[in-house]
């Protein structure tokens, strides 16, 4: 006699799919880390477009094209929500990405960062440090002023900070000199009480930026607020994964996975870095 038919595992519903995260490179791992802290049971797929970094010096048209290609690749792998962890792509390409996703939820980092700044500032004088493209596009100003119309926002591109963070130089005399060069005129001209780190790479430079700006200026970055926005979005759509102690993490790079691995160690604790960084080609 044959027994009852063997039960096949139920198909994974959308709740069990991973969250997709993309950035131009490794910097967005600061966002992955915050999401992991807030939502340890969720599985995460991270794609760093290292072949085409930096996005921050490129035109909105090019960044949008790259962002859409990256989005398509993550959607193909199966995700339930996309996080655009790159500030430049969030600033210039979020709407195009949203259209591409056709109803799948997407969270960018600009709005959460703007919210954090608008709430942290007492005087309403806010400075945003970012890539040149993010500064030129004015996305942070618009988002901050939508929440707080009285805010006075100054945006400055600080492209050398990206190179320093990539190099693993987060402190020391050279980093201090660069930080002083960028920040002294901002402090003098604008007298901000809040500084937004509007670029994925800048959080690793926080101690040096703190030394230069002193103890009375609030420094905010969007990683923690983005993680909270992700949690709220998953909850509102009933997409939170079923409770499990730890989700998986997979990291993809479009070039030089060994370099990605090395630089990732500056952004993530070793236990969160998988054994293999997977190479992915976005071009057809
Ligand atoms: N990920 C970029 C951003 O947050 C920084 C690096 C780049 O320029 O691509 O704007």
């Amino acid at each position: 006699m044959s027994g009852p038919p063997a039960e096949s595992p139920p198909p994974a519903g959308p709740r069990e799919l991973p969250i997709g995260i993309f950035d131009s490179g490794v910097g967005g791992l600061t966002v992955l880390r915050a999401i992991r802290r807030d939502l340890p049971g969720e599985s995460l797929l991270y794609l760093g477009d290292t072949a085409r970094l930096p996005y921050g010096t490129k035109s909105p048209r090019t960044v949008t094209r790259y962002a859409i290609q990256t989005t398509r690749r993550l959607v193909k792998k199966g995700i339930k929500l996309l996080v655009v962890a790159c500030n430049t792509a969030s600033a210039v390409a979020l709407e195009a990405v949203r259209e591409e996703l056709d109803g799948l939820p997407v969270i960018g980092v600009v709005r959460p960062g703007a919210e954090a700044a608008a709430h942290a500032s007492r005087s309403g004088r806010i400075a945003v440090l970012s890539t040149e493209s993010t500064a030129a596009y004015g996305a942070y100003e618009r988002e901050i002023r939508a929440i707080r119309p009285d805010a006075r926002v100054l945006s400055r591109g600080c492209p050398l900070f990206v190179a320093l963070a990539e190099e693993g130089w987060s402190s020391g005399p050279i980093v201090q000199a660069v930080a002083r060069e960028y920040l002294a005129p901002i402090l003098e001209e604008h007298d901000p009480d809040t500084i937004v780190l509007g670029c994925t790479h800048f959080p690793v430079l926080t101690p040096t930026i703190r030394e230069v700006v002193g103890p009375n200026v609030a420094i905010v970055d969007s990683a923690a607020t983005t993680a909270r926005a992700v949690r709220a979005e998953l909850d509102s759509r009933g997409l939170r994964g079923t409770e499990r102690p730890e989700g998986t993490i997979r990291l993809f790079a479009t070039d030089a996975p060994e370099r990605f691995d090395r630089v990732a160690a500056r952004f993530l604790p070793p236990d969160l870095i998988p054994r293999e960084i997977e190479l992915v080609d976005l071009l057809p």
Side-chain angles (χ1 to χ4, degrees), residues 5-267:
E7 247 180 59
S8 51
R15 296 193 325 151
E16 305 314 322
L17 289 173
I19 295 169
I21 304 169
F22 96 78
D23 180 35
S24 53
V26 283
L29 293 175
T30 52
V31 176
L32 177 140
R33 188 179 185 168
I35 295 174
R36 176 65 164 200
R37 205 179 296 132
D38 247 32
L39 297 161
E42 299 290 346
S43 292
L44 307 174
L45 291 188
Y46 179 98
L47 201 166
D49 191 7
T50 44
R52 302 187 292 194
L53 176 108
Y55 282 13
T57 48
K58 302 201 165 73
S59 69
R61 192 157 168 265
T62 298
V63 172
T64 303
R65 186 156 53 86
Y66 291 173
I68 285 181
Q69 287 169 347
T70 320
T71 298
R72 282 188 188 147
R73 181 49 62 103
L74 282 169
V75 169
K76 223 163 154 188
K77 290 186 179 299
I79 55 171
K80 60 181 172 185
L81 177 144
L82 178 71
V83 179
V84 181
C86 177
N87 285 261
T88 307
S90 294
V92 309
L94 197 65
E95 273 324 301
V97 166
R98 185 168 281 130
E99 276 169 32
E100 184 66 31
L101 284 170
D102 195 25
L104 206 72
V106 56
I107 305 277
V109 286
V110 170
R111 179 168 301 168
E115 271 168 21
H119 294 126
S121 176
R122 276 158 306 168
S123 68
R125 303 184 74 84
I126 297 169
V128 181
L129 314 181
S130 67
T131 63
E132 288 161 294
S133 300
T134 301
Y137 207 68
Y140 269 100
E141 284 94 312
R142 280 193 296 281
E143 293 287 353
I144 292 172
R145 287 173 56 82
I147 304 165
R148 210 174 146 167
D150 67 312
R152 299 187 58 192
V153 184
L154 177 80
S155 287
R156 278 286 152 84
C158 307
L160 283 180
F161 279 167
V162 175
L164 291 171
E166 283 271 330
E167 202 55 34
W169 292 6
S170 54
S171 58
I174 294 176
V175 186
Q176 275 210 352
V178 173
R180 265 199 303 274
E181 195 71 22
Y182 281 141
L183 293 166
I186 296 175
L187 297 175
E188 204 175 299
E189 274 167 48
H190 196 61
D191 190 24
D193 74 347
T194 300
I195 286 188
V196 185
L197 305 183
C199 174
T200 48
H201 285 60
F202 298 179
V204 297
L205 304 174
T206 302
T208 301
I209 294 173
R210 166 63 66 213
E211 274 173 40
V212 175
V213 301
N216 298 325
V217 176
I219 299 175
V220 300
D221 77 72
S222 49
T225 30
T226 299
R228 282 202 289 278
V230 169
R231 192 176 49 195
E233 187 71 22
L234 292 180
D235 285 342
S236 76
R237 293 178 179 244
L239 283 174
R240 269 289 263 284
T242 42
E243 265 330 302
R244 67 185 149 212
E246 264 192 0
T248 56
I249 296 180
R250 288 178 72 189
L251 304 180
F252 300 88
T254 53
D255 194 22
E258 332 68 53
R259 183 170 199 280
F260 186 104
D261 196 23
R262 209 167 0 103
V263 182
R266 293 169 194 140
F267 292 84

